[in-house]
Amino acid sequence: MAAARDLDTSGRTALSLRNLRHPASPHAEGVSFDLHYGEILGIAGLVGSGRTELLRSIFAADLPLSGTIERDGQPRHYRNPKQAIRDGIGFVTEDRKEEGLILGMAIAANVTLASLRKVSRLGLLDKREETRLTRALGGEIKLKYGDTADAVSTLSGGNQQKVVLAKWLANNPKILLLDEPTRGVDVGAKAEIYALLRGLSEKGLALLIVSSELPELITLSDRILVMSKHRIAGEVARADFSEERILNFAYKDERNHGHH
């Protein structure tokens, strides 16, 4: 990747997990891996393998039972998502309606939900600044909309998802956790979101992407970790990507289950 990077940190470790154990995990050893700046790390696995739970435990949406998180080589103990956000982590959840967006509210208001400090003056919302930030980010992510004051519910699924991304990008995160980033999005918007995510990694952001669509992970990722029953069952390097290889790891534990 020879792209010019904003954060000159390419290849440095952004996030390091050691034995991180989600409350739902039956395994004391939890999950361990490193995520690097400028990297898109994909997480594959069957339903119930613990992929979403992993993201939630990093973001402190669910507090891990044990294990450690290091951020830029320093230990972190996030007690809530707010602390993770302050530390440069964003989490694009799978459920846009539930967690990502307030559909009846204006596009601009949604974009600035996670970064209200930036568009406030002395605690009051600065409408002009809100509109400016929304237009700037909207341009960056090729958002198709009529007016920044339109309700988000007037947008297509793909454009709603771009607003979710914009909401997090307004915060200047260094690490983005994404759960099913193109769920319910049409093919054209999918390609645009892929280009957008790749652009972010080229700027030096570290991206961790959970998806149940293997073609999506194969298209986007620099490497893929495969989870099974809340553990990392295997890692696949880009040169070795194939659905068969990923599925072999995904089913490994299932097959061995009878032989313990």
Side-chain angles (χ1 to χ4, degrees), residues 11-181:
R12 266 204 349 195
T13 303
L15 199 66
S16 192
L17 309 191
R18 291 294 174 265
N19 307 110
L20 197 71
R21 183 182 181 190
H22 184 274
S25 168
H27 307 294
E29 75 268 27
V31 170
S32 304
F33 64 82
D34 292 343
L35 170 67
H36 307 99
Y37 286 113
E39 170 179 55
I40 298 181
L41 179 55
I43 306 271
L46 307 174
V47 171
S49 60
R51 300 168 307 176
T52 298
E53 288 83 353
L54 169 67
L55 296 189
R56 289 180 62 85
S57 61
I58 294 171
F59 196 64
D62 298 333
L63 294 181
L65 290 180
S66 51
T68 57
I69 295 179
E70 284 192 356
R71 176 88 177 78
D72 287 341
Q74 301 297 316
R76 290 289 194 270
H77 302 283
Y78 305 129
R79 284 185 300 280
N80 52 54
K82 204 175 259 167
Q83 294 182 338
I85 291 168
R86 223 176 277 139
D87 208 21
I89 300 177
F91 184 12
V92 178
T93 57
E94 182 189 349
D95 191 337
R96 286 196 291 274
K97 311 252 185 310
E98 184 120 320
E99 304 197 43
L101 295 175
I102 300 169
L103 293 176
M105 258 168 71
I107 294 165
N110 273 282
V111 166
T112 53
L113 274 179
S115 58
L116 286 171
R117 278 199 313 275
K118 283 206 182 105
V119 292
S120 307
R121 296 276 170 281
L122 305 170
L124 294 172
L125 187 66
D126 179 336
K127 277 294 197 201
R128 265 207 320 262
E129 182 55 23
E130 185 185 65
T131 303
R132 190 201 62 73
L133 182 66
T134 301
R135 286 203 182 120
L137 282 164
E140 208 177 300
I141 62 174
K142 301 187 171 60
L143 187 65
K144 295 178 183 64
Y145 62 95
D147 187 279
T148 57
D150 292 349
V152 165
S153 53
T154 60
L155 298 175
S156 68
N159 281 298
Q160 287 185 15
Q161 187 63 346
K162 287 185 192 174
V163 171
V164 175
L165 279 168
K167 176 184 105 169
W168 286 109
L169 296 180
N171 246 349
N172 282 329
K174 304 290 181 280
I175 297 172
L176 267 186
L177 315 174
L178 301 114
D179 195 2
E180 305 287 0

Side-chain angles (χ1 to χ4, degrees), residues 230-243:
H230 290 271
R231 284 191 284 205
I232 306 284
E235 177 174 334
V236 186
R238 186 163 187 99
D240 305 322
F241 282 179
S242 76
E243 295 201 15

